[in-house]
Amino acid sequence: MSSIARLPDSIQGIASRAAAPSRTRDDVSLARRFSNARRLSASQRLGLLPVFFANLDVEKIPTSQQLEDLGHSPTILEDISCAVISLDAVFHLDATGDVGTSLWPRVWGWFEFLEMHRDHLPGISLDPETSSYFDFMCFIGCFRSHPATYDLLSTTPHFWTHIVKAWSLLPQMDDAGQRTMMLSTLGEFLSTSNARPDSELLAEMVEAAGSMNDLAGLVLNFVRTTITKPLFDPAYPVVYLNNILVFVVRAGACPDNEFDLIISPRRRLTTALYGLDFEKELVSAILFLCDRSDVHTLTVIGTCIMLLRHCVVVWTPANMWLDVWLQQGLFRALISITHRAGIGYEAEGKLRERLRPFMREISAGLVYYFPTVAFKKAFKEARGLISEDTFKDHPLSAEWKHFLASGRDLLDALDEFNSPTFRTSKACDNLQCGSIDEATAMAGRCSGCHAFYYCSRECQKTDWKAGHRNFCASHKSLILAERDEPNLFFKERSFIRSLLHHKYLKERRAICFKQIQVLAAQPADLETPPLLFTLFDFCELPPAIQVHAAGDLPKHIAGLVGTDSAEWIDIVERAERDGGYTQLHGLCMTDGEGPRVWVIPLRTDIPLIYEGLRTLAERVRLGELTNEGEIMREIDGVLDVEVTEIH
């Protein structure tokens, strides 16, 4: 009470009456007006704290029994009213420093009580919930730079429940100044080390939000509000985005901002985020930030890239997201970001290291039809900004060279696919027939596996009896059929086949050379020549092409195709019985669970190419052909035949 004695004489009496046991709500209201008076200095206003300490005594918080008798107890109603007035005054008192450790228990006790019983206090006038939480956030924001008070706040039971509640009210704040303050305080608390969400804290936040999806929705709304709504200070968004992304990274168990989001039980939050299209908000954030070039902005962009990589690698196939990202302007953003990832700040180096794998994964996603269509439009729009010369002296020049070259090759494949002369052909899967014709001429496909086509009902019956009935149900994962992959619509599956055929024709001479090498390396006394398996690895562009004997695949490839599965065994046996009319080709691509291989047989109407390659392989084995140039000329002669080849 000695603090009151240091107040001006005109206020001492008012303060003494407001702190006395016989005080009324009018006494406390008068003291509150003086606490906000501009003619008082900050230290003088703090001299009124004893009034609010006295009226926020936690011993006066009503018990459950007292609340039941509230209507018959004027004293308790008066205590609550005085506490409401005092709490409002303290929220606007700009109290800082050591005073927080003694003030906080009183403020917290009454604030939690009033919010818990807000709808059950007849005769008590409370501010709207939005105003109440806004004032609360202003108050706690005063202490975030005072370690002792901050630790006390953040470790108070149920504190984070009210943080989440305040967070949920953010969309209702139309005033730019209030919104800026709320984003600032929320971001500060969410990004600090005390908010590293262990399972217990995260469970509290989820319960407060309603569900994990609701908590993810709050994250999305935080990002949207930062980007789309005007703020009191336009320089703040970078800080706010950094704060919320730090929270996401921590809650997603990505320690030290590294790409390690896959194994933690807290992955549930990132699962919920990507289920709500969080990646679209990340792309929007990159576009929002890409015109800025300060160090903090580069750090935030790097975090966005890391989280986008997480979505790319872990969650969904590229055909489910990449075309949307490209339509949003991701390609343009990548160009802009690259210019800012030069040879300067340490943050630029980190950004480059995150861009490198991200660009490779974006390129690999272009094996899908709709992303490639979107890329074509984006490529045209950005043509004036890019060329191989644009980035030739840049640390990412190699990545851009590969990116642009691969992109142009894919666009060529797209133009072929969309040309009026393009026709989809099928081969009859009755190997005793094997006729090749336009897909529309085929009578139908097997209704069991959706993978085998026939030119007539008779051919289907013949192939069924010849062995397809024993393997029909097993065709579920290797053949590019509708039932195998519901995310690949007809257009996508058709384009993937067309892309493989385009790459095969472009690299056919080099592929034939590799096939000759594999055939020549086989023992000379083999009764049956080995079946060849050519793998086109589109997980990274330009795709790597490997040729192996189907019965002797490297361990990692054998694992991808499942060489012990009934489906693979049936595919191999059918190709071997076809006597050179069928080669096995595989297309490796990434999806939501990592790389996978589609086996897409190459069918021909005559086996002349295969027979010619076997002859050349025998000559190589005997030492008649040793010079690569000579072998390539012989290959040109083998390929100079009229033959129909389809995938």
Side-chain angles (χ1 to χ4, degrees):
M1 298 299 288
S2 61
S3 298
I4 293 179
R6 293 196 295 269
L7 290 170
D9 293 340
S10 58
I11 305 175
Q12 283 188 32
I14 294 171
S16 296
R17 287 193 300 274
S22 60
R23 87 279 182 264
T24 66
R25 67 184 74 183
D26 291 335
D27 293 328
V28 180
S29 294
L30 184 59
R32 178 182 63 179
R33 285 200 296 274
F34 274 97
S35 72
N36 294 331
R38 292 185 178 179
R39 61 189 180 88
L40 294 180
S41 66
S43 61
Q44 287 175 332
R45 289 200 301 274
L46 289 176
L48 286 166
L49 273 174
V51 174
F52 309 121
F53 267 63
N55 285 281
L56 291 173
D57 186 353
V58 292
E59 296 295 328
K60 295 180 180 180
I61 296 176
T63 64
S64 299
Q65 182 61 47
Q66 289 173 322
L67 282 176
E68 292 182 6
D69 301 330
L70 192 60
H72 308 289
S73 180
T75 302
I76 296 177
L77 280 173
E78 193 73 9
D79 287 342
I80 296 175
S81 296
C82 290
V84 169
I85 297 167
S86 299
L87 195 63
D88 180 72
V90 167
F91 282 167
H92 296 89
L93 204 57
D94 293 331
T96 58
D98 294 333
V99 72
T101 55
S102 55
L103 184 58
W104 171 248
R106 298 170 183 261
V107 168
W108 175 252
W110 275 102
F111 177 77
E112 190 172 37
F113 167 78
L114 292 172
E115 289 307 312
M116 183 182 300
H117 300 287
R118 165 177 288 275
D119 299 326
H120 308 287
L121 297 173
I124 304 297
S125 177
L126 296 176
D127 289 338
E129 195 172 36
T130 303
S131 299
S132 177
Y133 272 97
F134 174 75
D135 293 342
F136 173 72
M137 296 298 285
C138 286
F139 173 77
I140 66 174
C142 295
F143 300 103
R144 58 193 171 202
S145 60
H146 188 257
T149 305
Y150 176 78
D151 288 342
L152 181 62
L153 266 61
S154 60
T155 56
T156 299
H158 310 301
F159 172 78
W160 293 98
T161 297
H162 288 280
I163 289 290
V164 173
K165 178 62 178 179
W167 192 356
S168 69
L169 296 172
L170 182 60
Q172 300 178 30
M173 295 184 176
D174 295 323
D175 181 85
Q178 288 189 354
R179 197 162 50 245
T180 299
M181 188 289 306
M182 184 67 85
L183 287 169
S184 175
T185 305
L186 277 172
E188 286 280 353
F189 275 90
L190 290 171
S191 64
T192 52
S193 59
N194 294 45
R196 181 180 287 276
D198 56 25
S199 57
E200 185 176 338
L201 176 56
L202 191 59
E204 178 183 338
M205 299 179 81
V206 169
E207 183 179 0
S211 69
M212 188 67 78
N213 273 358
D214 292 324
L215 182 60
L218 292 178
V219 173
L220 264 64
N221 186 265
F222 190 108
V223 176
R224 290 193 193 109
T225 301
T226 304
I227 293 174
T228 61
K229 291 188 176 181
L231 298 178
F232 192 71
D233 187 333
Y236 287 164
V238 174
V239 176
Y240 301 157
L241 286 172
N242 179 68
N243 288 341
I244 194 63
L245 294 179
V246 166
F247 171 76
V248 169
V249 167
R250 285 175 172 162
C254 188
D256 302 320
N257 286 356
E258 294 303 324
F259 186 63
D260 185 24
L261 293 168
I262 300 176
I263 60 175
S264 167
R266 292 183 300 222
R267 178 178 168 183
R268 290 180 300 137
L269 178 60
T270 44
T271 302
L273 282 168
Y274 292 120
L276 296 176
D277 296 332
F278 181 51
E279 62 274 14
K280 295 180 183 178
E281 304 305 327
L282 292 173
V283 174
S284 297
I286 292 173
L287 293 168
F288 176 79
L289 296 169
C290 65
D291 290 332
R292 303 167 183 253
S293 57
D294 58 278
V295 176
H296 299 298
T297 300
L298 295 176
T299 300
V300 177
I301 290 175
T303 306
C304 290
I305 293 293
M306 179 190 68
L307 290 169
L308 281 177
R309 274 202 69 214
H310 181 224
C311 175
V312 171
V313 174
V314 177
W315 297 101
T316 53
N319 66 310
M320 305 301 289
W321 49 263
L322 184 52
D323 57 325
V324 177
W325 294 8
L326 290 169
Q327 290 171 31
Q328 281 183 270
L330 179 63
F331 187 49
R332 185 176 67 255
L334 286 176
I335 297 171
S336 178
I337 293 169
T338 302
H339 285 304
R340 286 161 177 75
I343 317 176
Y345 302 117
E346 180 183 352
E348 292 175 336
K350 290 183 177 179
L351 180 56
R352 287 198 304 275
E353 294 312 307
R354 286 175 176 164
L355 272 173
R356 282 193 171 97
F358 185 61
M359 289 176 65
R360 291 196 297 269
E361 286 144 10
I362 291 292
S363 299
L366 296 175
V367 298
Y368 296 99
Y369 175 75
F370 292 106
T372 306
V373 171
F375 176 73
K376 181 177 182 178
K377 182 177 180 181
F379 194 89
K380 288 181 178 179
E381 292 174 349
R383 185 171 294 169
L385 302 173
I386 57 173
S387 69
E388 292 185 9
D389 291 336
T390 308
F391 305 109
K392 68 178 182 179
D393 296 324
H394 194 279
L396 290 171
S397 59
E399 283 75 12
W400 271 102
K401 183 176 180 180
H402 286 305
F403 187 86
L404 296 176
S406 303
R408 292 188 183 101
D409 191 34
L410 289 166
L411 294 182
D412 290 341
L414 177 69
D415 290 339
E416 287 181 13
F417 181 71
N418 287 332
S419 69
T421 58
F422 178 79
R423 295 289 183 270
T424 301
S425 298
K426 296 288 184 184
C428 181
D429 281 301
N430 172 24
L431 298 184
Q432 299 177 33
C433 170
S435 63
I436 295 176
D437 210 332
E438 288 189 20
T440 54
M442 289 291 160
R445 65 183 175 186
C446 175
S447 60
C449 63
H450 291 194
F452 284 68
Y453 286 79
Y454 303 97
C455 64
S456 67
R457 183 67 175 168
E458 289 70 25
C459 278
Q460 184 172 6
K461 290 179 180 179
T462 300
D463 193 52
W464 183 259
K465 294 176 182 178
H468 183 53
R469 61 183 172 186
N470 299 323
F471 295 98
C472 180
S474 67
H475 284 272
K476 296 179 180 179
S477 60
L478 283 178
I479 297 292
L480 191 62
E482 182 178 348
R483 194 185 72 172
D484 299 335
E485 182 51 72
N487 290 328
L488 292 180
F489 307 108
F490 171 79
K491 197 92 172 181
E492 292 283 14
R493 299 195 309 276
S494 184
F495 178 67
I496 289 172
R497 291 179 183 273
S498 175
L499 177 62
L500 178 61
H501 197 70
H502 170 87
K503 194 63 181 177
Y504 165 71
L505 293 179
K506 186 173 182 179
E507 304 291 340
R508 189 161 64 158
R509 295 176 74 246
I511 292 171
C512 287
F513 182 78
K514 292 181 180 181
Q515 290 176 330
I516 289 172
Q517 289 179 311
V518 172
L519 289 170
Q522 301 300 313
D525 57 352
L526 282 181
E527 295 183 5
T528 304
L531 178 67
L532 299 175
F533 179 73
T534 304
L535 181 69
F536 298 75
D537 188 356
F538 277 85
C539 290
E540 187 172 327
L541 296 180
I545 300 175
Q546 308 173 41
V547 177
H548 304 280
D552 187 28
L553 296 180
K555 185 175 181 180
H556 70 284
I557 298 177
L560 288 174
V561 300
T563 51
D564 56 349
S565 67
E567 184 176 6
W568 170 256
I569 293 170
D570 180 48
I571 292 170
V572 170
E573 288 180 351
R574 294 177 70 88
E576 288 175 340
R577 293 199 310 268
D578 210 18
Y581 287 84
T582 300
Q583 287 189 37
L584 292 187
H585 287 183
L587 184 144
C588 187
M589 58 195 294
T590 57
D591 65 9
E593 298 179 356
R596 71 176 303 169
V597 171
W598 296 110
V599 177
I600 306 174
L602 176 72
R603 302 288 294 273
T604 62
D605 59 345
I606 52 176
L608 292 180
I609 293 178
Y610 178 70
E611 292 173 354
L613 295 180
R614 283 182 56 194
T615 301
L616 291 180
E618 182 64 22
R619 293 175 61 189
V620 170
R621 183 187 293 114
L622 295 174
E624 297 176 11
L625 289 174
T626 57
N627 180 271
E628 181 177 339
E630 187 179 0
I631 295 173
M632 295 303 293
R633 286 192 293 273
E634 293 287 342
I635 288 174
D636 290 336
V638 169
L639 296 178
D640 189 21
V641 294
E642 292 292 332
V643 60
T644 300
E645 296 178 300
I646 66 162
H647 278 98

